[in-house]
Amino acid sequence: MAGARRAPPLPGETPMHLHDFDIDLFLRDYWQQKPLLIRNPWAQWTNPLAPEELAGLACEEGVESRLVVQADGDWKMEQGPLAEDRFAALGASPWTLLVQAVDHQAPDVAALIAPFRFIPDWRIDDVMVSYASDGGGVGPHFDQYDVFLIQGAGRRRWRIGQACDDHSPLRPHADLRLLAEFDATDEWVLEPGDILYVPPGIAHDGVAVGDDCMTYSVGFRAPARSELIEGWTDRLLEALGEDDRYADPALARQANPGEIAPAALTRLQAMVLEQLGDPAGFARWFGEYSSTRKYPEIDWAPEEAIDPATMQALVAEGAPLRRNPASRFAFVRAEEAIMLFVDGASHDCTGACAALAQQLCADETLELDPALAGDAAAIALLVLLHNQGSIAFEDMGEDDEEDDAWDD
């Protein structure tokens, strides 16, 4: 919902850790290569969200949700927000509820991202959560991104199929990209805590075995070449003027005036490549592009802005800081500086501010060095990020003004 202000969740109480998982082996042998079943690698698995909470989110404006109901051998999809009484009217047909970006709403779901941060943050998309009744699923399909499918509660049978691409035949369907052909090569039933990794382009089909089946999909973005070219060239075009034109002051007479001469083609192509081949400019554009929030129309700014003096006092006290789970942080190293990207904007940082920028990107919750209170650039950056809702201070007690900067 455009312009809506929402309060981000507090950090989860129970951090999630992969207890028995070889990251280097996974990256070497499986990442973007082939599926992998990982049997309950958690130190202790606890389902982080109740079905009733997921259903409640699906009824909210501004939350992206879908309901898929199976009937007569087909799948029918409804877009949310759903009416509160919709679930009571579903009947006996298998159905699946899917809610996007639940990590933006529920702290314990957001905690599921941390164990997978061996993949760079700019690749992380969101955590989608699904709930399915017995036999529920969304049909055989493939995705253009990597995904870790975590079984939260109940059981789900996953079948893995063939490698697919844009030429793979699809069933005629107005809302879902369902494969017309599915050749299963592997099949597993996942129990709570089990994980199935599926690389891009691999067909898969998940069906709930029994009721109360919940699955958490940690998805990763992969920009298409067409998106990169379009976005980068659009940025370049914004900066070009009408006076920047082709010129040929040393023009020589041609034998045939209909020929586009090789020298002209070389000069024309050089005009294009000279603009495209700007590494620093591309880095800044891509940092801003990739750090744009999934739902930029939502206003996360606090009700009351903070001023530099208050920020200095909080930093000097060592007040703990946390990032908004809906915000995206990244940085690029430049000559003697750091380009920090937060929620689609870039910030050039040097000195102590550069160290702060890297710390903000590394840690979801952090304690600031009190010495930063004396650095004007660092304070200015923190004020800006706080007042746009990208960061906030932890609850510091009943007597503090900054008890919860995100509460309405």
Side-chain angles (χ1 to χ4, degrees):
M1 181 170 61
R5 176 177 282 110
R6 183 169 296 146
L10 292 167
E13 297 293 333
T14 306
M16 304 299 294
H17 301 288
L18 296 176
H19 177 66
D20 185 17
F21 181 65
D22 191 328
I23 293 174
D24 294 325
L25 175 67
F26 171 78
L27 292 175
R28 186 190 70 197
D29 294 345
Y30 295 95
W31 175 253
Q32 296 218 315
Q33 299 172 61
K34 56 186 177 181
L36 176 65
L37 173 65
I38 310 164
R39 289 293 186 189
N40 204 338
W42 308 94
Q44 181 179 359
W45 174 255
T46 302
N47 184 35
L49 192 72
E52 296 77 14
E53 294 176 285
L54 186 68
L57 288 173
C59 299
E60 290 188 15
E61 291 282 351
V63 175
E64 186 180 352
S65 61
R66 295 166 288 163
L67 179 66
V68 179
V69 181
Q70 296 167 240
D72 302 323
D74 200 1
W75 291 260
K76 296 181 180 179
M77 191 185 80
E78 302 173 29
Q79 292 280 5
L82 303 173
E84 293 185 6
D85 59 357
R86 180 65 182 95
F87 300 103
L90 283 170
S93 296
W95 57 272
T96 300
L97 173 67
L98 305 105
V99 183
Q100 293 289 154
V102 180
D103 51 305
H104 295 185
Q105 315 293 335
D108 289 330
V109 174
L112 290 176
I113 291 177
F116 301 101
R117 290 188 72 201
F118 56 85
I119 308 299
D121 285 352
W122 71 266
R123 292 278 266 113
I124 295 173
D125 188 9
D126 70 347
V127 183
M128 182 186 75
V129 183
S130 67
Y131 175 92
S133 66
D134 187 23
V138 297
H141 64 283
F142 72 97
D143 301 309
Q144 299 285 12
Y145 51 82
D146 303 85
V147 63
F148 290 92
L149 300 162
I150 307 169
Q151 191 61 26
R155 305 164 73 216
R156 186 183 289 272
R157 175 177 287 105
W158 283 103
R159 294 186 299 156
I160 298 296
Q162 71 275 19
C164 302
D165 57 28
D166 288 340
H167 302 291
S168 299
L170 301 177
R171 296 180 55 166
H173 200 289
D175 302 307
L176 300 171
R177 291 175 52 84
L178 302 176
L179 288 166
E181 302 172 359
F182 182 73
D183 303 317
T185 57
D186 290 288
E187 180 177 317
W188 303 287
V189 174
L190 269 64
E191 306 280 349
D194 291 344
I195 304 174
L196 177 61
Y197 164 71
V198 182
I202 298 298
H204 51 287
D205 180 31
V207 177
V209 180
D211 290 321
D212 295 328
C213 173
M214 293 189 70
T215 302
Y216 299 80
S217 302
V218 183
F220 293 81
R221 298 177 293 165
R225 190 192 303 266
S226 59
E227 295 175 37
L228 295 174
I229 293 173
E230 180 182 23
W232 175 222
T233 53
D234 283 350
R235 169 64 66 86
L236 292 175
L237 290 173
E238 292 173 1
L240 294 178
E242 287 293 320
D243 292 337
D244 188 6
R245 291 179 176 272
Y246 174 81
D248 49 6
L251 182 64
R253 187 169 59 175
Q254 297 181 184
N256 186 333
E259 179 185 6
I260 303 175
L265 286 171
T266 299
R267 192 177 297 115
L268 288 162
Q269 187 178 27
M271 290 178 65
V272 175
L273 295 180
E274 181 182 1
Q275 293 296 319
L276 293 176
D278 177 7
F282 180 83
R284 186 177 296 277
W285 166 78
F286 184 74
E288 294 173 356
Y289 166 80
S290 63
S291 67
T292 299
R293 287 177 293 146
K294 188 175 181 70
Y295 302 106
E297 68 277 8
I298 296 178
D299 181 11
W300 294 103
E303 291 289 346
E304 296 185 9
I306 198 172
D307 57 58
T310 304
M311 179 63 72
Q312 280 184 307
L314 288 167
V315 172
E317 294 170 12
L321 197 69
R322 58 186 170 96
R323 291 181 354 196
N324 182 345
S327 290
R328 287 174 169 164
F329 287 70
F331 74 91
V332 168
R333 299 183 190 276
E335 292 185 11
E336 301 180 359
I338 290 291
M339 285 192 289
L340 172 67
F341 306 100
V342 183
D343 294 339
S346 58
H347 311 275
D348 295 322
C349 304
T350 59
C353 192
L356 169 63
Q358 294 176 75
Q359 187 181 9
L360 286 168
C361 291
D363 303 319
E364 296 170 338
T365 59
L366 60 152
E367 293 184 5
L368 299 175
D369 182 353
L372 285 173
D375 189 289
I379 293 300
L381 175 63
L382 291 170
V383 167
L384 186 153
L385 297 181
H386 178 280
N387 290 344
Q388 71 184 25
S390 300
I391 61 173
F393 288 94
E394 297 280 11
D395 189 339
M396 297 182 62
E398 296 181 358
D399 296 327
D400 285 284
E401 294 182 0
E402 277 297 308
D403 283 351
D404 190 348
W406 274 318
D407 278 349
D408 291 333

